[in-house]
Amino acid sequence: MRKLLFQSLFRRPFTEPAPSSDDAALSELAAAVGRTARQRLGRSLSIREVDAGSCNGCELEIHALNNAYYDVERFGIRFVASPRHADVLLVTGPVTKNMRDALERTYHATPNPKWVVAVGNCARDGGCFAGSYAVVGGVGAVVPVDLHIPGCPPTPTAMLQGLLALLDRVDAGAGAP
Ligand code: SF4
């Protein structure tokens, strides 16, 4: 036991070194999303997240957008509790049969103009859950999808890039991509 304790004092940690962060590029990207939203929509971007049946891996990355590191709210990107306050529905997972009705109702409760962003490989076509008796398919099988952000799960940076691409397609004043 003493030998083990002694070794642990000098052994290098088993964890990998943290990747180098590029704070400036990240802040610039998030600021660009907020700025473009105000130019195109005339206000901040409001997002309602919908888990249609994911494994929650995508949710962990989406939650990271609001943590102290990414903190996207400082750039005017807000996650809202109701689809009635949302511009964008960020939908994850394969759509399960149990969530199909809820997703449709959420879509219809969101005021126009609205955009649906399918997040993750499962949201495209069911991913690794495709063919399951419990799964309807990708998000596009239930509601119209405007943008798909691939990955399993996609990184927060990839999601910001996707939102920026979506806003770039929105005609100012027209409200449709
Ligand atoms: S894309 Fe990957 S992380 Fe996201 S719900 Fe599917 S399996 Fe989970």
Side-chain angles (χ1 to χ4, degrees):
M1 184 65 181
R2 277 170 53 192
K3 185 180 170 196
L4 188 66
L5 285 170
F6 187 73
Q7 282 176 339
S8 66
L9 284 175
F10 299 100
R11 192 170 47 208
R12 287 166 54 84
F14 288 123
T15 50
E16 294 176 12
S20 62
S21 62
D22 191 345
D23 293 356
L26 188 65
S27 294
E28 202 172 308
L29 178 60
V33 175
R35 195 169 51 245
T36 309
R38 278 188 289 279
Q39 283 170 355
R40 302 299 168 101
L41 305 174
R43 53 188 157 73
S44 300
L45 186 69
S46 296
I47 300 169
R48 167 68 180 162
E49 202 271 336
V50 183
D51 176 353
S54 91
C55 74
N56 283 154
C58 287
E59 270 66 35
L60 288 174
E61 300 302 316
I62 291 172
H63 292 170
L65 287 170
N66 283 317
N67 69 18
Y69 180 74
Y70 291 96
D71 191 19
V72 293
E73 197 153 330
R74 70 192 147 133
F75 300 109
I77 303 165
R78 299 183 308 134
F79 280 79
V80 293
S82 167
R84 298 189 193 285
H85 303 157
D87 304 302
V88 171
L89 295 180
L90 213 54
V91 189
T92 64
V95 182
T96 61
K97 289 184 178 164
N98 285 346
M99 279 299 292
R100 177 184 196 141
D101 187 40
L103 178 59
E104 283 175 339
R105 282 167 45 202
T106 302
Y107 179 79
H108 292 303
T110 308
N112 287 317
K114 60 190 165 193
W115 300 278
V116 176
V117 178
V119 175
N121 293 348
C122 295
R124 179 172 48 207
D125 54 11
C128 53
F129 302 105
S132 162
Y133 67 91
V135 163
V136 178
V139 176
V142 179
V143 294
V145 171
D146 299 290
L147 179 78
H148 173 244
I149 301 174
C152 183
T155 62
T157 304
M159 287 184 231
L160 285 174
Q161 287 168 333
L163 288 173
L164 187 57
L166 179 79
L167 287 167
D168 277 341
R169 288 164 52 197
V170 176
D171 290 333

